[in-house]
């Protein structure tokens, strides 16, 4: 017997274990990995669990959700790497996202963009390292030619002269050439330019002479008489496409386009709604201003998370206590017999008569008059009233709590509806009466020609928020709370009666501040007393002779709104910074002077003319003592000097004056601006001194000798992708010929030496004194 019990116990245990749901180890491991945000591992475990149970719906949902989450996770990592400039890591992350979730379109787009950036970077590097070869392909410039003057030192000029001559003087100080429009009309003007930039000097001279200028090449400018027609002819234009990222409605793009057209007087602007883009063709200055405006306006809209708490509570309390006695007595006539003994006359039964006194009634059968003398109390029945004892106490409570959250963008309407739809009959209908077939009464269906509409009953909330830069939120709120309050029969159809409470308001709250929108409290109290008059009002005794009931109904609706700002307006100081935009007829931008350009004149010294030297017409010649980029007070070791420092010649004789450098490191290129007195000497040629070539390499020497004005622009550069040279040696040689008796000097007005990394090398320079007998 004990063995049988053991076998039964084992069988029961086995059946119980078989009935218990089995756990999947891979699924559990996937949930653990997901909890620590190891999405790659979680996806592997979820897919393994799905392979073990292909029909498990939960496993399918988990695997699909994790595939999307893991793909999006790698896309976000790739975007971070892309912002940090690590293109290879970004491409790897995008490829991983593409492999995890092939349906992720963002991964495809970002991968293509990253590969394009890598290809462009590789092409740029290869073009920089590859030797220059002739090609028929013309590269498209991103903008008009920009000036690249030899000198960026501040200009000091005070002159009264012909405007053509002053333009040429300013250009020579910067190492530029000037060409004039054939229709240019020169006039005599007076200008004073104390320590200004090249652009400011050209603008000032142009304003004084009613002229406009533009760069034609990096070292050539074009000057013409200013007029509207001439500006249209010579002003360069650029085309640029701006992709707007944060517009949500089509009219947002139209609003930005109309604003640009009005503010900048743009004639060639086109919005492309399908690409959410704006294409502008105009002058570079106008396009730059348009870029500034678009960057200021193209901001992600602030977003608000609205936390809405709805509490609807109702309570119904009923107390019914007392003994209610009967309130009616029934008296019935019930004769024992209609005919008394000894009487041979029988009573006839006819119609009975009912008499009612108050609520008591008696039914009297037909009897003859001679039998009335035999009536007695036994012929009557009296029904005494009873009593009903009530002791009822009910307490019903109903609480409905709704706690929805909705996220909405700035100035967009959010609608929240919580409740149900109630059908309401509309249209024409009639009651159920009519005439039947054959003249009898019939019934017409009351639903003939009747339509139904559905009305929302419950809580309806419409909110339009606006986020202020100070962190507060203004909201236009409309709240309607409705409920069914019975029904009414109209034309044979029961129509619902809907009780409604509606509130509309405009409020302004801080982030996280709560506001009670509606706090509607309704209380209904019904007291009923039913009993014998007089006795029913006596204390305590009234409960024995009357029924007393009291019903209290309390209803309350409370609605609390709390805004939480989840995205603030990204308005920076740069967005509110004013920007110079030129005049009404000439919209343009102005650039601030750099520190080197705005440095005081202490960094430059006026050249002291040698006896007999003639300065350039009306200009103050300058020689650089501390080059741009050198820190004030710093010890400058690199020096440029002429060798020999002084030369004596006779008219017609020639000599070579060398230019040496001392203690230089990694010298790669050295552009120079040299000045001399063309009335005393002339420079016939510039020779390679051998130091920059390192003795084995050819270097590129570009020279432009202006014998009329006594200026030489020189640029000596090593071959591409070669290191610079260090040490001391002779850079250049100047072949000088004596012209007429007098004193002259070879002066270096500007030097812009660079190393192999294109960093500036500070240098100080001297001059060579030449005496012609």
């Amino acid at each position: 017997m004990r063995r049988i019990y053991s076998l039964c116990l084992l069988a029961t245990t086995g059946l119980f274990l078989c009935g218990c749901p089995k756990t999947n180890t891979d699924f559990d491991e996937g949930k653990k990995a997901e909890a620590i945000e190891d999405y790659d591992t979680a996806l592997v475990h979820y897919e393994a669990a799905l392979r073990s149970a292909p029909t498990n719906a939960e496993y399918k949902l988990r695997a699909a959700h994790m595939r999307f989450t893991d793909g999006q996770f790698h896309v976000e990592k790739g975007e971070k790497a892309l912002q940090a400039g690590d293109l290879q890591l970004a491409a790897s992350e995008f490829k991983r996202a593409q492999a995890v979730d092939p349906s992720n379109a963002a991964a495809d787009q970002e991968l293509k963009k990253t590969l394009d950036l890598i290809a462009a970077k590789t092409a740029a590097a290869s073009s920089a390292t590859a030797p220059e070869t002739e090609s028929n392909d013309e590269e498209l410039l991103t903008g008009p030619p920009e000036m690249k003057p030899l000198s960026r030192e501040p200009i000091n000029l005070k002159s009264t002269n012909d405007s053509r001559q002053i333009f040429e003087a300013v250009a020579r100080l910067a190492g530029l050439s000037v060409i004039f429009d054939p229709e240019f009309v020169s006039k005599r003007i007076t200008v004073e330019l104390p320590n200004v930039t090249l652009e400011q000097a050209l603008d000032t001279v142009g304003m004084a002479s009613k002229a406009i200028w533009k760069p034609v090449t990096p070292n050539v400018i074009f000057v013409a008489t200013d007029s509207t027609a001439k500006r249209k002819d010579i002003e360069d234009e650029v085309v640029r496409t701006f992709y707007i990222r944060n517009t949500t409605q089509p009219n947002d793009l139209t609003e930005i386009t109309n604003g640009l057209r009005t503010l900048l007087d743009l004639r060639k602007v086109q919005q492309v709604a399908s690409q959410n883009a704006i294409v502008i063709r105009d002058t570079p200055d106008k396009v730059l201003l348009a870029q500034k405006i678009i960057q200021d306006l193209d901001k992600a809209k602030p977003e608000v998370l609205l936390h809405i708490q709805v509490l609807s509570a109702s309570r119904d309390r009923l107390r019914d206590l007392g003994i209610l006695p009967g309130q009616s007595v029934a008296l019935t006539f019930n004769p024992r017999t209609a005919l008394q003994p000894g009487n041979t006359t029988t009573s006839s039964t006819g119609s009975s008569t009912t008499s009612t006194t108050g609520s008591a009634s008696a039914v009297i059968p037909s009897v003859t008059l001679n039998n009335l003398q035999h009536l007695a109390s036994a012929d009557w029945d009296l029904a005494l009233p009873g009593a009903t004892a009530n002791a009822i106490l009910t307490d019903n409570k109903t609480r409905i709590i709704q706690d929805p959250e909705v996220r909405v963008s700035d100035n967009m309407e959010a609608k929240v509806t919580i409740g149900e739809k109630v059908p309401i009959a509309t249209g024409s209908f009639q009651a159920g009466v009519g005439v039947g077939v054959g003249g009898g009464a019939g019934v017409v269906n009351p639903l003939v020609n009747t339509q139904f509409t559905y009305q929302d009953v419950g809580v309806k909330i419409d909110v339009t928020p606006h986020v202020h830069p100070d962190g507060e939120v203004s909201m236009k709120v409309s709240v309607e709370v409705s409920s069914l309050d019975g029904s009414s029969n109209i034309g044979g159809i029961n129509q619902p009666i809907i009780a409604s409470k509606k509130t509309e308001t405009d409020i302004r709250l801080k982030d996280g501040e709560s506001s009670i929108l509606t706090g509607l409290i309704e209380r209904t109290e019904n007291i009923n007393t039913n009993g014998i008059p007089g006795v029913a009002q006596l204390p305590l005794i009234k409960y024995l002779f009357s029924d007393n009931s009291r019903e209290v109904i309390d209803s309350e609706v409370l609605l609390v709104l709390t805004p939480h700002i989840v995205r603030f307006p990204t308005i920076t100081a740069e967005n509110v910074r004013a920007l110079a935009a030129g005049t009404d007829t000439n919209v343009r931008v102005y650039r601030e002077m750099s520190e080197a350009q705005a440095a005081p004149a202490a960094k430059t010294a006026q050249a002291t003319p040698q006896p007999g030297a003639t300065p350039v017409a009306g200009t103050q010649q300058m020689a650089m003592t501390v080059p741009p980029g050198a820190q004030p007070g710093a010890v400058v070791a690199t020096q440029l000097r002429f060798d020999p420092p002084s030369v004596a010649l006779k008219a017609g004789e020639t000599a070579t004056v060398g230019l040496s450098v001392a203690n230089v490191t990694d010298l790669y290129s050295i552009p120079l601006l040299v000045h001399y007195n063309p009335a005393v000497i002339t420079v016939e040629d510039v020779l390679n001194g051998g130091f920059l070539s390192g003795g084995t390499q050819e270097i590129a020497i570009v020279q432009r000798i202006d014998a009329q004005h006594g200026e030489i622009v020189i640029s000596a550069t090593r071959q591409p992708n070669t290191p610079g040279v260090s040490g001391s040696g002779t850079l250049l040689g100047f072949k000088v010929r004596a012209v007429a008796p007098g004193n002259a000097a070879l002066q270096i007005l500007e030097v812009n030496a660079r190393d192999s990394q294109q960093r500036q090398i500070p240098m100080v320079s001297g001059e060579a004194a030449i005496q012609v007998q």
Side-chain angles (χ1 to χ4, degrees):
M1 182 64 67
R2 184 175 300 173
R3 181 177 298 176
I4 294 175
Y5 288 155
S6 299
L7 291 175
C8 291
L9 180 61
L10 290 174
T12 303
T13 304
L15 292 175
F16 177 76
L17 294 176
C18 291
C20 291
K22 297 181 179 179
T23 59
N24 190 296
T25 305
D26 285 318
F27 186 74
D28 294 338
E29 293 296 328
K31 293 199 310 185
K32 293 178 181 178
E34 182 182 1
I36 61 175
E37 297 185 354
D38 186 1
Y39 300 128
D40 291 333
T41 304
L43 179 60
V44 171
H45 286 297
Y46 284 147
E47 289 182 341
L50 181 60
R51 286 193 296 270
S52 64
T55 59
N56 192 309
E58 184 179 4
Y59 293 174
K60 288 182 180 180
L61 292 175
R62 285 279 188 171
H65 172 70
M66 188 49 56
R67 189 175 295 110
F68 169 79
T69 303
D70 192 21
Q72 192 65 24
F73 174 72
H74 285 288
V75 168
E76 293 175 357
K77 290 181 65 177
E79 290 175 346
K80 292 180 180 178
L82 191 61
Q83 293 176 359
D86 193 344
L87 300 181
Q88 297 296 335
L89 178 60
S92 176
E93 291 294 340
F94 293 139
K95 288 179 180 178
R96 176 62 179 166
Q98 204 176 40
V100 169
D101 186 10
S103 63
N104 194 321
D108 299 339
Q109 295 174 351
E110 295 297 327
L111 178 60
K112 183 179 182 303
K113 182 175 72 173
T114 306
L115 294 178
D116 291 342
L117 292 175
I118 293 175
K121 186 176 180 180
T122 305
S126 61
S127 64
T129 57
E132 296 183 1
T133 58
E134 294 184 359
S135 175
N136 294 326
D137 296 335
E138 296 181 358
E139 295 183 357
L140 298 178
L141 297 177
T142 58
E146 295 182 0
M147 285 193 309
K148 296 181 180 178
L150 183 62
S151 172
R152 275 290 182 184
E153 280 298 298
I155 294 176
N156 290 279
L157 176 65
K158 182 177 181 180
S159 177
T160 300
N161 208 332
D162 189 79
S163 59
R164 180 188 293 264
Q165 299 296 326
I166 295 179
F167 267 116
E168 291 176 344
V170 172
R172 282 196 302 272
L173 290 175
L176 300 176
S177 297
V178 186
I179 58 176
F180 293 90
D181 184 69
E183 300 176 358
F184 177 72
V185 178
S186 182
K187 59 181 69 174
R188 190 173 182 83
I189 61 174
T190 299
V191 294
E192 183 174 357
L193 306 173
N195 202 35
V196 298
T197 65
L198 173 61
E199 288 80 5
Q200 291 171 344
L202 293 173
D203 288 341
T204 303
V205 177
M207 185 178 298
S209 60
K210 302 296 183 182
I212 55 175
W213 63 274
K214 59 167 283 188
V216 179
T217 67
N219 56 2
V220 177
I221 62 173
F222 177 79
V223 179
T225 302
D226 190 6
S227 66
T228 303
K230 185 61 66 174
R231 283 185 178 274
K232 290 183 178 180
D233 290 339
I234 71 171
E235 279 190 337
D236 292 309
E237 293 184 348
V238 295
V239 177
R240 185 167 179 184
T241 302
F242 298 93
Y243 290 92
I244 313 301
R245 298 176 299 173
N246 297 296
T247 56
T248 56
Q249 296 180 346
N251 60 334
D252 294 341
L253 191 64
T254 304
E255 188 175 1
I256 295 176
T257 304
N258 293 337
L260 293 174
R261 186 180 289 112
T262 302
L263 291 173
L264 303 178
D265 194 22
L266 298 178
R267 301 183 304 274
K268 302 167 186 176
V269 56
Q270 177 65 41
Q271 71 179 58
V272 185
S274 60
Q275 299 296 325
N276 215 36
I278 299 175
V279 183
I280 299 175
R281 178 178 178 228
D282 218 303
T283 62
D285 288 348
K286 286 188 178 181
V287 173
L288 284 175
L289 289 172
Q291 176 185 353
K292 170 69 166 56
I293 295 173
I294 290 175
Q295 288 176 349
D296 293 342
L297 297 179
D298 187 18
K299 301 290 185 181
K301 286 189 175 183
E303 293 186 3
V304 181
L305 182 67
L306 299 176
H307 185 194
I308 305 169
Q309 295 174 300
V310 181
L311 173 64
S312 178
S314 62
R315 184 174 183 179
D316 187 359
R317 291 167 295 185
L318 173 63
R319 188 188 66 180
D320 191 351
L321 183 63
I323 300 175
L324 180 64
Q327 297 177 330
S328 62
V329 177
L331 178 63
T332 305
F333 178 63
N334 188 16
R336 290 165 295 172
T337 179
L339 185 63
Q340 297 297 327
N343 195 337
T344 59
T345 304
T346 60
S347 64
S348 62
T349 304
S351 59
S352 62
T353 302
T354 303
S355 61
T356 302
T357 302
S359 59
S361 61
V363 180
I364 303 175
S366 293
V367 293
T368 57
L369 292 176
N370 58 356
N371 289 331
L372 291 177
Q373 58 181 344
H374 303 291
L375 293 178
S377 58
D379 296 319
W380 298 89
D381 292 334
L382 181 63
L384 296 177
T388 303
N390 293 323
I392 300 173
L393 181 64
T394 62
D395 192 350
N396 296 324
K397 297 180 181 180
T398 303
R399 296 175 66 89
I400 300 175
I401 300 176
Q402 296 162 341
D403 196 16
E405 292 182 348
V406 58
R407 183 168 177 170
V408 59
S409 296
D410 187 51
N411 292 324
M412 302 297 290
E413 186 178 20
K415 293 179 177 288
V416 178
T417 301
I418 305 172
E420 57 186 4
K421 291 183 177 292
V422 176
I424 298 176
T426 60
S428 60
F429 57 93
Q430 52 187 339
V433 295
V435 180
V437 178
V443 177
V444 178
N445 193 338
L447 297 181
V448 174
N449 298 327
T450 303
Q451 296 83 34
F452 289 89
T453 59
Y454 289 85
Q455 180 174 337
D456 292 321
V457 175
V459 180
K460 295 173 60 178
I461 305 172
D462 297 340
V463 185
T464 303
H466 174 65
V467 180
H468 297 275
D470 59 356
E472 295 188 354
V473 184
S474 294
M475 290 174 288
K476 184 177 181 61
V477 186
S478 175
V479 180
E480 182 177 0
V481 181
S482 57
S483 61
L484 290 176
D485 194 19
S487 62
S488 176
N489 190 289
I490 302 176
I493 299 177
N494 288 329
Q495 296 280 56
I497 299 175
I498 299 175
S500 178
K501 308 175 183 68
K502 187 173 183 179
T503 302
E504 293 184 358
T505 183
D506 290 329
I507 58 176
R508 180 165 177 167
L509 301 175
K510 296 180 180 179
D511 182 20
E513 182 182 359
S514 299
S515 173
I516 299 177
L517 299 180
T518 56
L520 303 177
I521 301 176
E522 183 178 355
R523 182 183 180 92
T524 304
E525 184 174 357
N526 296 320
I527 299 176
N528 295 319
T529 301
N530 190 5
I532 300 175
V535 182
Q537 281 75 32
L538 296 176
L540 297 178
I541 300 176
K542 63 182 180 181
Y543 295 109
L544 300 176
F545 297 97
S546 64
D547 178 57
N548 296 272
S549 66
R550 181 182 181 185
E551 183 178 12
V552 179
I553 301 174
D554 291 331
S555 64
E556 181 178 357
V557 177
L558 185 67
L559 193 145
V560 181
L561 179 64
T562 306
H564 298 282
I565 301 176
V566 295
R567 179 181 292 165
F568 282 92
T570 54
I571 301 176
T572 63
E574 183 65 23
N575 298 140
V576 298
R577 183 174 71 94
L579 192 65
T583 63
D584 186 55
T585 57
N586 183 21
V587 178
R588 57 170 299 184
V589 296
Y590 298 89
R591 290 170 176 81
E592 295 180 355
M593 296 174 59
S594 64
E595 293 183 1
Q597 294 170 340
K603 288 190 175 182
T604 60
Q606 298 181 3
T608 303
Q610 298 296 326
T614 303
V616 178
T619 64
Q620 296 178 351
Q621 301 301 318
M622 298 176 294
M624 189 188 73
T625 58
V626 181
Q631 296 296 329
V635 178
V636 182
T638 305
Q639 298 178 357
L640 286 175
R641 63 177 181 268
F642 288 97
D643 188 20
S646 62
V647 179
L649 298 173
K650 293 182 180 181
E653 291 183 349
T654 62
T656 300
V657 179
L659 179 63
S660 302
V661 63
N663 302 322
V664 71
T665 302
D666 193 24
L667 178 61
Y668 180 79
S669 65
I670 180 167
L672 297 168
L673 176 61
V674 180
H675 175 71
Y676 61 91
N677 186 359
V680 179
I681 62 173
T682 183
V683 176
E684 295 182 340
D685 195 8
V686 179
L687 307 175
N688 181 10
F691 175 75
L692 196 60
S693 63
T696 59
Q697 185 185 102
E698 292 292 332
I699 64 173
I701 298 179
V702 179
Q703 57 178 303
R704 181 175 61 85
I705 301 176
D706 186 353
Q708 181 181 358
H709 299 94
E711 288 186 352
I712 310 171
V713 177
I714 312 163
S715 177
T717 307
R718 289 175 59 81
Q719 294 294 331
N721 303 315
T722 59
V725 292
S726 303
S728 303
T730 302
L731 287 171
L732 303 169
F734 296 90
K735 187 177 180 180
V736 180
R737 177 181 293 275
V739 176
N743 294 324
L746 283 177
Q747 301 171 340
I748 299 177
L749 298 182
E750 177 68 39
V751 60
N752 191 14
R754 300 280 177 173
D755 61 12
S756 58
Q757 303 299 321
Q758 296 303 309
R759 294 187 294 262
Q760 195 169 26
I761 301 176
M763 289 186 177
V764 293
S765 60
E767 62 181 33
I770 301 175
Q771 183 179 8
V772 180
Q773 298 176 354

